[in-house]
Amino acid sequence: MLLPRFEYHRPARLDEALAILAQHQGQAAVLAGGTDLLVGMKHKLMKPAHVVGLEALEGFGQIQEQEGMLLLGPMLTASALAGEPGVRARATALALGAGVLGSPQVRNRATVGGNVCNARPAADMCVPLLALGATALLQSAHGAREVPLSEFFLGPGRTVRTPGELLCGVKLPAGGPGVGSGYQKLGLRQALEIALVNVAAFVALEDDGQTVKTARVALGAVAPTPILSPGAEAALTGQVISEELIRQAAQAAAADARPIDDHRGSADFRRQEVLVLTRRALQQAWQAARQD
Amino acid sequence: MAKQTIEITVNGDRYEVAIDPWRSLAEVLREDLRLTGTKIGCNQGDCGACTVLINGRSVSSCLTLAVEAHQREVTTIEGLAKTPQELHPIQEAFVEKGAVQCGFCTGGMIMSAKHLLDKNPQPTELEIRQGLSGNLCRCTGYNKIVEAIGDAARRLNPAKEGQ
Ligand SMILES: Cc1cc2nc3c(=O)[nH]c(=O)nc-3n(C[C@H](O)[C@H](O)[C@H](O)COP(=O)(O)OP(=O)(O)OC[C@H]3O[C@@H](n4cnc5c(N)ncnc54)[C@H](O)[C@@H]3O)c2cc1C
Ligand code: FES
Ligand code: FES
């Protein structure tokens, strides 16, 4: 399995990278960690004439915190996100998802930008980011735009990003006191496994420490894209959190799931697992919200 | 499409090589630098036979372009021991514990073990197994490999023994 031939570009500055993408519209592929792109190219699923490596771009691997928001550079790797204390505390579900992605070798290369742009319905960073209320920061030679992740994914491998655009960061509200998130992944084996079902939950409590101000439950592998559960959100918002409330929200999430039968599991089994994993993810989120 | 010249440091030696940009680091290590201890099994990130360290982090060299290693430090299984006459303590432990059978996975296993022990000098058995979760072995059944890495951890940290 050899890679198809291409010309390699290593831009050092963002404007350079955007100019290359503009010049080779549709003919250029962006290379981050390569754990999706190079596998796809080896299988000849795509044959880009130009490959634009982001490895030398300055600032693309940074984490910044400003005005209550976390700004994640697209080249942050899964290992960096899983190990970073700030991410573990303020975006717990993302750190947990990044920590169970693939294998150590994959985590050392796989980036958050690659995970988001690759847009698989079960992706271990997409599902947490959706629950955390993240926004994609896109930039092209013609300008910049921000797209909430809830509007970013269009289908398996398809997003609203145009070929001339680069994902330059992911922005999300930084957790703090009264805020928590959790992540649950079910696979058929414990490593190197794409989730059969995965669920991320986010809870923000009012100052009273028990009324739910905001909640989001994101579901993976039960629809063509990662999806939010409107039912779970409605069941939780404004209510006093309790085990019983969490059970109701989990039922609402299972009702929102649109799983299919495939060789890895049946739709019924997946729906049942949504119920279990949502309950656990919400318990995790509640626990974390109470702690800090 | 022109070749690109890259500078890489492999096992402490600096190389300047002109390569086609579509070649993987695994291919260039094996075919151009003749460092054939790095194996290619699945060629798609699943088996770990091609594991090397880039700037100290374990990666699959089959899923890394050689051009991406430009101005970086690569360590392969050939560069682990201090001299060609010696073995590294992890290698010694693999030999003594019988953790090597056909040997095809061994280089990658040892590079993953090196990455693990650099980060976590006293791993639990579970942490060792997690550290090896990107490496497949068709021969040993893994137990002897896990034992060897535990043993290597003790060799590398003799002061901590008995704690
Ligand atoms: C063995 C193996 C196991 C895996 N296990 C898992 C798993 O358990 N869970 C999981 O979620 N995934 C898994 N993956 C998939 C993959 O590792 C992840 O999706 C990873 O996050 C992709 O990131 P990358 O940096 O490697 O992306 P790349 O392969 O470099 O890029 C992926 C796609 O995104 C585009 N892209 C990347 N960055 C940008 C950017 N900044 N702007 C615009 N476009 C961009 C690329 O052009 C490409 O289309 C696995 C892959 C392998 C090989
Ligand atoms: S050959 Fe690279 S992971 Fe299998
Ligand atoms: S010793 Fe043969 S594959 Fe591991």
Side-chain angles (χ1 to χ4, degrees), chain A residues 216-235:
Chain A
R216 277 183 297 268
V217 171
L219 313 176
V222 294
T225 68
I227 55 169
L228 284 170
S229 163
E233 186 171 338

Side-chain angles (χ1 to χ4, degrees), chain A residues 30 32-37 102 111 114-115 117 123-124 167 185 193, chain B residues 45-46:
Chain A
V30 174
T35 59
D36 281 315
L37 182 71
T111 66
N115 201 256
C117 290
D124 279 308
L167 179 75
K185 172 181 187 176
E193 172 71 328
Chain B
D46 293 316

Side-chain angles (χ1 to χ4, degrees), chain A residues 163-187:
Chain A
E165 282 179 312
L166 206 56
L167 179 75
C168 292
V170 174
K171 194 169 75 170
L172 55 145
V179 177
S181 62
Y183 182 64
Q184 296 286 326
K185 172 181 187 176
L186 177 78

Side-chain angles (χ1 to χ4, degrees), chain A residues 1-8 10 31-33 35 38-39 42-43 55 79 103-106 108-109 191-192, chain B residues 1 4 21-22 27 42-44 46 51 57-59 62-63 65 67-68 70 72 112 115 131 133-135:
Chain A
M1 267 193 314
L2 298 172
L3 284 164
R5 299 171 170 218
F6 55 81
E7 196 175 318
Y8 185 71
R10 185 193 287 110
L31 174 69
T35 59
L38 297 182
V39 176
K42 284 187 179 189
H43 288 284
E55 32 136 351
S79 342
S103 65
Q105 294 95 316
V106 174
N108 283 341
R109 295 277 298 165
L192 274 176
Chain B
M1 284 179 230
Q4 294 193 0
W22 54 86
E27 287 163 13
C42 67
N43 215 349
Q44 55 177 5
D46 293 316
T51 305
R57 300 178 148 272
S58 61
V59 304
C62 71
L63 285 190
L65 298 178
V67 286
E68 293 181 273
H70 176 55
R72 298 206 159 84
S112 283
H115 176 69
S133 58
N135 293 79

Side-chain angles (χ1 to χ4, degrees), chain A residues 45-288:
Chain A
L45 301 177
M46 47 272 214
K47 270 178 94 170
H50 299 268
V51 169
V52 185
L54 303 183
E55 32 136 351
L57 272 188
E58 266 175 42
F60 261 36
Q62 282 176 1
I63 303 179
Q64 292 170 49
E65 197 176 336
Q66 38 184 255
E67 292 158 21
M69 300 297 278
L70 275 184
L71 199 63
L72 306 177
M75 289 296 279
L76 282 163
T77 61
S79 342
L81 290 167
E84 178 66 36
V87 177
R88 290 162 72 130
R90 296 176 176 281
T92 312
L94 176 61
L96 293 173
V100 295
L101 185 151
S103 65
Q105 294 95 316
V106 174
R107 289 194 286 278
N108 283 341
R109 295 277 298 165
T111 66
V112 61
N115 201 256
V116 168
C117 290
N118 206 56
R120 303 321 300 185
D124 279 308
M125 294 195 265
C126 293
V127 174
L129 284 170
L130 192 57
L132 291 166
T135 301
L137 311 180
L138 294 170
Q139 213 165 319
S140 74
H142 310 294
R145 59 176 176 146
E146 298 191 0
V147 184
L149 273 202
S150 53
E151 297 162 20
F152 184 80
F153 304 117
L154 298 178
R158 292 194 307 119
T159 71
V160 302
R161 183 181 77 86
T162 61
E165 282 179 312
L166 206 56
L167 179 75
C168 292
V170 174
K171 194 169 75 170
L172 55 145
V179 177
S181 62
Y183 182 64
Q184 296 286 326
K185 172 181 187 176
L186 177 78
L188 298 178
R189 35 178 273 145
Q190 291 183 13
L192 274 176
E193 172 71 328
I194 304 300
L196 196 61
V197 177
N198 49 348
V199 176
F202 168 88
V203 171
L205 301 175
E206 300 281 6
D207 291 339
D208 66 6
Q210 50 179 355
T211 310
V212 178
K213 183 156 69 182
T214 326
R216 277 183 297 268
V217 171
L219 313 176
V222 294
T225 68
I227 55 169
L228 284 170
S229 163
E233 186 171 338
L236 291 160
T237 308
Q239 305 296 313
V240 170
I241 194 157
S242 66
E243 290 292 343
E244 180 49 34
L245 186 71
I246 285 177
R247 259 193 298 277
Q248 290 166 13
Q251 260 155 9
D256 282 339
R258 308 193 297 275
I260 53 165
D261 291 314
D262 69 11
H263 63 287
R264 284 150 41 81
S266 69
D268 283 347
F269 175 62
R270 283 201 163 96
R271 199 182 292 283
Q272 180 60 31
E273 281 307 317
V274 169
L275 189 88
V276 175
L277 299 187
T278 302
R279 201 173 67 219
R280 291 184 192 158
L282 278 169
Q283 281 163 343
Q284 249 180 325
W286 182 23
Q287 175 94 22

Side-chain angles (χ1 to χ4, degrees), chain B residues 99-106 109 136-142 145:
Chain B
V100 181
Q101 287 188 23
C102 80
F104 194 84
C105 72
T106 310
M109 284 283 177
L136 300 181
C137 174
R138 298 304 300 269
C139 306
T140 66
Y142 300 98
I145 294 177

